[in-house]
Amino acid sequence: MTYVDGFVLAVPADKKEEYRRHAAEAAPLFKEFGATRMVECWGDDVPDGKLTDFRRSVQAKDDETVVFSWIEYPSKEIRDAANHKIMTDSRMQAMGEQMPFDGKRMIFGGFDTIVDEDSSGTAGYTDGFVVPVPSEKKADYLALAQRMAGKFKEYGAVRVLEAWGDDVPNGEVTDYWRAVQAQDGEEVVYSYIQWPDKATRDAGWARMMAADPEQSTPMPFDGKRMFWGGFRPILDTAAE
């Protein structure tokens, strides 16, 4: 089962190309360490929320853009070994000293995949989500996620992945827990929907809302503390 390292970070808007190059230089090393895919997505349609949102999650400044990214591994064991190499490899250490963003405000964590639905097509746009879910409602959330994945695929999505928090550390400045205002007994879910393009994404969501305009499906989590946004890929090793 795929294991996902999920990241959210704030990057100065004028350093977009510098960030893309930085990620592109790191990608071969992650592949060498066992990663099967690395994706970097630049904020495009990232709304402000009433309680939580992507920008607040990383304390983004006015001149910064939110990046939603992830690295996929075949298993947690391979991911753990990769993280050890990342911490000890001199090449990664050198790159870490030249990051074009404030690493102290980046949030990250390891997540176990619970839903991974593929369809035909190439990913060209991503919806990213971060959700707090009570541990006792994991089965209810899984059932909902599986049902929704089928709908999203019907409406044009090429992939839907939902991953349950497994190794989600507390941070000094920011972290996933604070980002969703997590309460006792809750876990963090990291998920994404990939679409061929933004137009298909917009049409898919319009169909989803039309099918259930009152949003009558019971949610096994506090939707007011979920946050989401639309992102354009700037690096995807699966497309290389």
Side-chain angles (χ1 to χ4, degrees):
M1 183 69 76
T2 300
Y3 194 88
V4 176
D5 267 343
F7 305 83
V8 183
L9 54 149
V11 180
D14 62 359
K15 292 187 176 181
K16 179 179 180 180
E17 180 55 26
E18 183 179 347
Y19 178 81
R20 189 203 64 77
R21 288 198 303 268
H22 180 82
E25 291 172 2
L29 297 182
F30 283 109
K31 183 176 181 181
E32 177 184 326
F33 299 156
T36 56
R37 187 181 188 185
M38 177 176 168
V39 182
E40 302 279 348
C41 299
W42 193 260
D44 171 68
D45 179 14
V46 182
D48 293 330
K50 292 182 178 180
L51 294 179
T52 60
D53 57 47
F54 269 111
R55 295 190 64 81
R56 273 183 275 193
S57 75
V58 291
Q59 300 178 17
K61 300 176 182 178
D62 291 344
D63 63 346
E64 293 179 327
T65 299
V66 175
V67 169
F68 180 85
S69 69
W70 69 89
I71 303 171
E72 299 176 15
Y73 294 94
S75 67
K76 181 179 180 180
E77 290 74 22
I78 293 176
R79 176 265 196 178
D80 288 347
N83 277 354
H84 175 72
K85 294 174 183 176
I86 290 166
M87 297 299 294
T88 57
D89 190 286
S90 60
R91 296 168 297 174
M92 293 299 295
Q93 292 174 354
M95 293 188 66
E97 296 171 356
Q98 303 173 19
M99 296 188 300
F101 60 92
D102 180 5
K104 293 180 180 179
R105 290 184 286 124
M106 176 178 71
I107 61 177
F108 57 92
F111 299 83
D112 270 322
T113 298
I114 56 174
V115 172
D116 191 355
E117 295 283 347
D118 277 314
S119 185
S120 60
T122 301
Y125 199 85
T126 296
D127 277 321
F129 304 83
V130 181
V131 192
V133 181
S135 298
E136 64 184 16
K137 293 187 177 181
K138 183 177 181 179
D140 294 335
Y141 183 85
L142 173 59
L144 174 65
Q146 290 173 327
R147 186 165 67 252
M148 297 297 285
K151 287 292 184 182
F152 284 122
K153 287 172 58 181
E154 178 184 341
Y155 298 156
V158 298
R159 190 182 186 194
V160 181
L161 185 141
E162 301 264 0
W164 190 264
D166 168 69
D167 179 15
V168 183
N170 295 316
E172 292 184 10
V173 179
T174 57
D175 57 43
Y176 279 111
W177 305 105
R178 277 177 274 193
V180 295
Q181 300 178 18
Q183 300 174 3
D184 290 344
E186 289 183 332
E187 300 293 342
V188 177
V189 170
Y190 179 97
S191 65
Y192 46 87
I193 306 169
Q194 294 188 282
W195 308 86
D197 48 53
K198 187 176 182 180
T200 303
R201 175 259 200 174
D202 290 346
W205 276 108
R207 291 181 65 185
M208 183 70 76
M209 297 300 292
D212 188 7
E214 302 298 327
Q215 294 294 289
S216 57
T217 303
M219 299 293 181
F221 58 88
D222 180 4
K224 294 179 181 179
R225 291 184 287 120
M226 173 181 73
F227 55 91
W228 66 92
F231 300 83
R232 295 185 182 275
I234 57 173
L235 174 72
D236 184 350
T237 59
E240 296 177 357

